[in-house]
Amino acid sequence: YNTHQSSNSSSSDMHQTIDEFLRAEVGLCPSCISLVVADDGGSTTIKTPSSTESSCHDCSICFGLSSPSYQQEHIVPLITKYLNPYCEGRGNYLTKDSPTLNLPLLIAVRAQCAIGAAECFIKTKETYADRGASSIRLRSAEEVYSKLKEYLRSSIREVLERTITHLENNDDETSCSNESTEPNLSNRLHEEESGYLAAHVLFLPEFSTDVSGIIPPSLQSLIRKHKHQIERSQHRILNPRKRFRGNDPTLKQGGDPRINLELRIRRSMNQSSDDLSKLAWLEKSIFQEWLKDEVESKESSVALSSWLQESKKHQIQTCVHVGVWRRPFYIKGTYTKSRRDVAQTPFFVSSDSKSGGLVRKGCSSVEEEICPHLASVCGGISNQNNEHVLVTSDGEAVVQDGSVVYGCCKFHASGREDIDVRMLLPPPSIVKSSSSNKNITGRPFVCEVFDAYRLPTATRLYAAVKAINHSSSDDGRTEEIVHDINGWPQSLVGNDRFHGSNLNGVGVSSPLELTSSSSFSGLQAETEEKVKHYGCICWTSVIIRSDQELVEKLGCLPWDQEENSDDQCNIFPLEIKQDTPLRVLHRRSSDTRTRQILSLSARRINDHWIQLRMATSAGTYVKEFCHGDCGRTQPSISSLLGGRVDITELDCEGIEM
């Protein structure tokens, strides 16, 4: 018992002695000492220094990062600054992995030097037969680095959570609105962390001395040896490959806020090629090669110990950079389009002029009519996390046309219609003919919102519907056929066939809803399974004398009689074979596809003009089914009538959900 008690006493004394050595001679703070020297009981708890402890600010390993006063002075103000725009209203949650940290590997390098100093001290004590020396266990440099990183991550997460709560409470006190400011998130959205806040903190060393006082000579020589490799790596990072084809001026969404933050900082550091610049972004492969050499060398501990004790006089500060962003969330709905000069997304084609360039087609697009209003009810979209941030004289962040941005409202639709094709709601006859468990709507869409300042509430989404649709007053217009100045027939539809009365013809269904990522990922997959309804006006070289003659030639149903599908003269559903159309052959592979025309009804307008209404399987080329595409679609309306057919007007009249 006495021997065991004496052993414990020696071990405790030795721990105290090595702690004093590391503090006084090596310049470590209490936190870093507890990281380098493992506790007797195997505890991984890091000693948290008091805010007044001066040794923390000059620590040879962490450079003061573990000091509460440093965090309060340098980290908290930055976090508050970048969180503030995102915390209007409640419902701001933090992702589980936030914050992510980027600590300079210089910390691990100096940790290895401190470990070398501790090893030399222990060997000295063993030489003098100090029984407690053999009981000391030192951690590796990589262990010290990872544990310090986890400690800082835990501390900063507490700061983030306190700041979010504080900002939300302040907003409640200043808000005069009775509207609920917390969005209604389902359990599925919480599981996906949809719209949650995320943060990244980057620590970089700032040097005011030459490289000899920052890293040991052995690492200096290794960096010089790999100089060209490091420069190539830096050039590759600073000049990433172009991620999108084309030169149209639309914004492209891409990138990662963490990578973008580091890129902006790298580019602001003058891209210097000297050793000090290389140290700020020391590569992991270089560090691991150096560490392996030092661990295997028998003489390295003495050299590292001497260098670290000598370098205590050199002051190294750290600069903190913070990035905060909101994870993407999804808003779903359906849209209609009542004009023939509105594309689904901004549409640019090559100019015919000698100067070249691009020319825009159409007066607007569905995306441009919907996305700005959704961005507005989400409090706006942040520009601070883009790869390139341009700041105007008044301090506002702006982006250039054609840039790749992280923050944006990205539009996705279930399929697409051509610019000259309207997207309408179904007529009454189609609604009657559909099965009771099917709902025929406008075209489904999902907007993927990146880095919005807030999550929208149901009230704000309703306001977005009103802003997009403008108003929905009925002007008494009914469905009819009119003729243009050339005598060509055109179809007019009533207000019940589209949403709202937007001057550019775009409207959305109500309500718009927050949805899970599965709605977005399944959007295109579901497109292949939907039934689509179309209406069109065609000219034919064949003289049509009556509706009865037209119906008999096509083997279809009379107009507005879609519910009478049991008619014996009806040959539909009809299977057709379609080769890749000539108009898209330049961008799609040549293939023969089997499609279904599920129903068809027709009526005569005059001797050479007819109106058709049909339901098809997804992926059917309707224009080619009408005119035959030089025989590449069989059978077709052209082959059934026995003459030439041209389609002059096409409408998508609903999609079965």
Side-chain angles (χ1 to χ4, degrees):
Y1 171 78
N2 289 336
T3 302
H4 178 67
Q5 188 178 40
S6 175
S7 175
N8 284 346
S9 176
S10 298
S11 176
S12 177
D13 291 344
M14 185 59 195
H15 267 276
Q16 185 175 355
T17 304
I18 196 170
D19 285 2
E20 291 173 355
F21 167 77
L22 291 174
R23 182 179 304 183
E25 301 298 327
V26 183
L28 302 194
C29 68
S31 295
C32 290
I33 292 172
S34 65
L35 290 173
V36 171
V37 182
D39 187 75
D40 290 332
S43 172
T44 58
T45 303
I46 298 175
K47 295 178 182 177
T48 305
S50 66
S51 59
T52 58
E53 191 139 14
S54 60
S55 61
C56 296
H57 301 285
D58 303 324
C59 178
S60 298
I61 292 182
C62 72
F63 315 128
L65 295 181
S66 59
S67 165
S69 61
Y70 179 90
Q71 295 175 16
Q72 189 66 34
E73 182 179 349
H74 297 280
I75 299 177
V76 173
L78 278 176
I79 286 176
T80 304
K81 173 186 174 181
Y82 287 104
L83 271 178
N84 190 51
Y86 293 91
C87 291
E88 180 184 337
R90 293 195 167 271
N92 296 295
Y93 303 95
L94 198 62
T95 59
K96 292 178 182 177
D97 62 349
S98 285
T100 50
L101 296 186
N102 187 333
L103 278 179
L105 282 171
L106 181 60
I107 287 177
V109 170
R110 296 174 75 89
Q112 180 63 29
C113 296
I115 292 166
E119 288 174 347
C120 290
F121 183 78
I122 291 171
K123 286 178 182 178
T124 302
K125 291 296 181 181
E126 287 176 342
T127 303
Y128 291 99
D130 191 327
R131 286 180 297 177
S134 59
S135 66
I136 300 297
R137 187 178 77 83
L138 302 177
R139 293 189 175 95
S140 68
E142 291 170 318
E143 280 184 286
V144 172
Y145 180 82
S146 63
K147 289 184 181 298
L148 177 60
K149 189 173 183 178
E150 185 57 36
Y151 165 70
L152 290 173
R153 181 186 175 277
S154 176
S155 301
I156 296 172
R157 183 175 178 86
E158 291 178 6
V159 172
L160 284 165
E161 290 172 341
R162 287 198 306 269
T163 305
I164 289 173
T165 303
H166 173 71
L167 292 173
E168 286 183 342
N169 290 337
N170 284 351
D171 184 69
D172 286 346
E173 293 173 3
T174 57
S175 176
C176 300
S177 173
N178 294 324
E179 174 197 341
S180 172
T181 58
E182 183 164 357
N184 183 22
L185 296 183
S186 65
N187 291 335
R188 178 66 181 273
L189 296 183
H190 279 297
E191 290 173 6
E192 295 179 355
E193 297 188 335
S194 183
Y196 276 35
L197 292 175
H200 181 63
V201 183
L202 174 64
F203 298 97
L204 282 180
E206 289 187 333
F207 312 116
S208 58
T209 183
D210 60 19
V211 70
S212 62
I214 300 167
I215 57 173
S218 56
L219 183 55
Q220 295 176 41
S221 61
L222 190 62
I223 289 175
R224 285 193 293 270
K225 175 184 175 183
H226 293 288
K227 177 182 178 181
H228 296 297
Q229 172 191 332
I230 295 170
E231 288 176 352
R232 285 196 301 269
S233 176
Q234 286 182 338
H235 182 270
R236 186 174 61 253
I237 292 170
L238 291 169
N239 301 277
R241 295 176 62 185
K242 186 176 180 180
R243 285 167 284 187
F244 295 91
R245 295 180 180 177
N247 296 310
D248 62 273
T250 57
L251 297 178
K252 286 87 173 173
Q253 195 283 324
D256 182 295
R258 293 167 293 189
I259 296 173
N260 291 347
L261 175 64
E262 294 180 17
L263 268 175
R264 294 197 304 272
I265 297 168
R266 281 178 182 264
R267 287 169 177 159
S268 68
M269 292 177 66
N270 299 322
Q271 302 181 19
S272 174
S273 60
D274 59 25
D275 289 339
L276 290 178
S277 174
K278 294 181 179 68
L279 285 183
W281 306 96
L282 181 62
E283 294 186 17
K284 190 173 183 180
S285 60
I286 305 293
F287 164 72
Q288 289 176 335
E289 182 180 342
W290 173 81
L291 183 62
K292 180 182 177 182
D293 293 342
E294 294 300 323
V295 170
E296 292 176 354
S297 173
K298 295 181 179 179
E299 304 298 327
S300 67
S301 295
V302 176
L304 294 179
S305 175
S306 301
W307 174 83
L308 186 59
Q309 293 180 61
E310 176 64 25
S311 68
K312 279 199 310 174
K313 61 185 179 183
H314 298 291
Q315 294 294 317
I316 301 177
Q317 302 296 324
T318 49
C319 184
V320 185
H321 303 271
V322 175
V324 174
W325 66 96
R326 191 179 295 279
R327 279 175 48 82
F329 56 91
Y330 305 89
I331 300 172
K332 70 175 181 179
T334 63
Y335 76 83
T336 59
K337 187 186 78 172
S338 58
R339 287 181 56 154
R340 300 192 185 278
D341 57 354
V342 175
Q344 188 181 86
T345 55
F347 185 24
F348 294 86
V349 297
S350 298
S351 172
D352 294 332
S353 64
K354 293 182 180 179
S355 60
L358 298 173
V359 176
R360 176 160 187 161
K361 293 290 186 180
C363 67
S364 185
S365 69
V366 176
E367 177 182 321
E368 290 168 298
E369 295 298 318
I370 293 176
C371 289
H373 295 290
L374 290 182
S376 178
V377 300
C378 294
I381 303 294
S382 172
N383 289 328
Q384 297 293 345
N385 293 298
N386 299 333
E387 183 179 319
H388 298 276
V389 177
L390 302 178
V391 181
T392 60
S393 57
D394 58 359
E396 182 182 358
V398 296
V399 294
Q400 291 179 313
D401 288 344
S403 299
V404 177
V405 299
Y406 176 73
C408 76
C409 185
K410 196 173 181 181
F411 184 82
H412 308 272
S414 177
R416 64 188 304 122
E417 66 282 338
D418 292 341
I419 188 172
D420 59 345
V421 176
R422 294 185 298 189
M423 180 68 233
L424 303 173
L425 297 173
S429 60
I430 296 295
V431 176
K432 291 178 184 177
S433 66
S434 65
S435 56
S436 58
N437 62 338
K438 295 289 185 180
N439 182 28
I440 305 177
T441 69
R443 190 175 297 279
F445 72 88
V446 170
C447 280
E448 189 177 13
V449 187
F450 291 84
D451 206 10
Y453 282 124
R454 64 169 174 252
L455 279 164
T457 62
T459 304
R460 292 185 182 272
L461 287 175
Y462 178 70
V465 173
K466 292 180 66 177
I468 295 167
N469 293 350
H470 293 187
S471 65
S472 57
S473 58
D474 191 348
D475 60 7
R477 187 168 61 182
T478 58
E479 186 167 342
E480 60 179 320
I481 297 291
V482 298
H483 293 77
D484 64 12
I485 57 175
N486 297 315
W488 287 23
Q490 296 178 325
S491 62
L492 297 181
V493 295
N495 291 68
D496 59 337
R497 299 288 304 280
F498 53 85
H499 299 299
S501 58
N502 185 322
L503 294 178
N504 286 327
V506 177
V508 296
S509 59
S510 183
L512 296 174
E513 297 176 329
L514 289 171
T515 188
S516 65
S517 59
S518 60
S519 296
F520 161 66
S521 59
L523 202 61
Q524 295 304 321
E526 293 171 0
T527 301
E528 301 302 319
E529 303 172 0
K530 290 183 172 69
V531 173
K532 299 182 179 181
H533 296 267
Y534 294 95
C536 61
I537 291 178
C538 299
W539 175 90
T540 175
S541 61
V542 179
I543 297 176
I544 305 297
R545 295 179 176 82
S546 67
D547 284 336
Q548 184 63 32
E549 179 186 350
L550 176 62
V551 168
E552 289 176 356
K553 283 189 173 185
L554 295 178
C556 66
L557 297 170
W559 188 256
D560 280 348
Q561 299 296 316
E562 286 83 359
E563 68 271 18
N564 299 327
S565 57
D566 295 333
D567 191 315
Q568 293 182 353
C569 297
N570 183 22
I571 65 171
F572 294 85
L574 176 67
E575 184 177 279
I576 63 172
K577 302 286 186 181
Q578 289 193 305
D579 290 344
T580 303
L582 293 172
R583 64 186 172 96
V584 299
L585 196 56
H586 66 285
R587 67 175 187 267
R588 295 195 179 176
S589 60
S590 180
D591 195 8
T592 300
R593 299 169 178 83
T594 301
R595 296 291 184 259
Q596 297 282 332
I597 308 299
L598 303 174
S599 67
L600 179 70
S601 63
R603 71 172 173 180
R604 173 184 178 274
I605 297 174
N606 59 38
D607 285 356
H608 289 283
W609 291 90
I610 60 176
Q611 189 173 13
L612 305 176
R613 187 172 283 157
M614 66 191 80
T616 73
S617 60
T620 303
Y621 292 105
V622 177
K623 292 178 179 179
E624 282 66 27
F625 170 64
C626 291
H627 59 64
D629 198 28
C630 301
R632 296 171 66 84
T633 293
Q634 289 290 341
S636 65
I637 298 296
S638 176
S639 65
L640 292 173
L641 289 177
R644 180 182 168 188
V645 172
D646 283 328
I647 181 170
T648 62
E649 185 179 278
L650 177 63
D651 296 321
C652 183
E653 297 189 326
I655 299 174
E656 285 194 15
M657 302 290 290

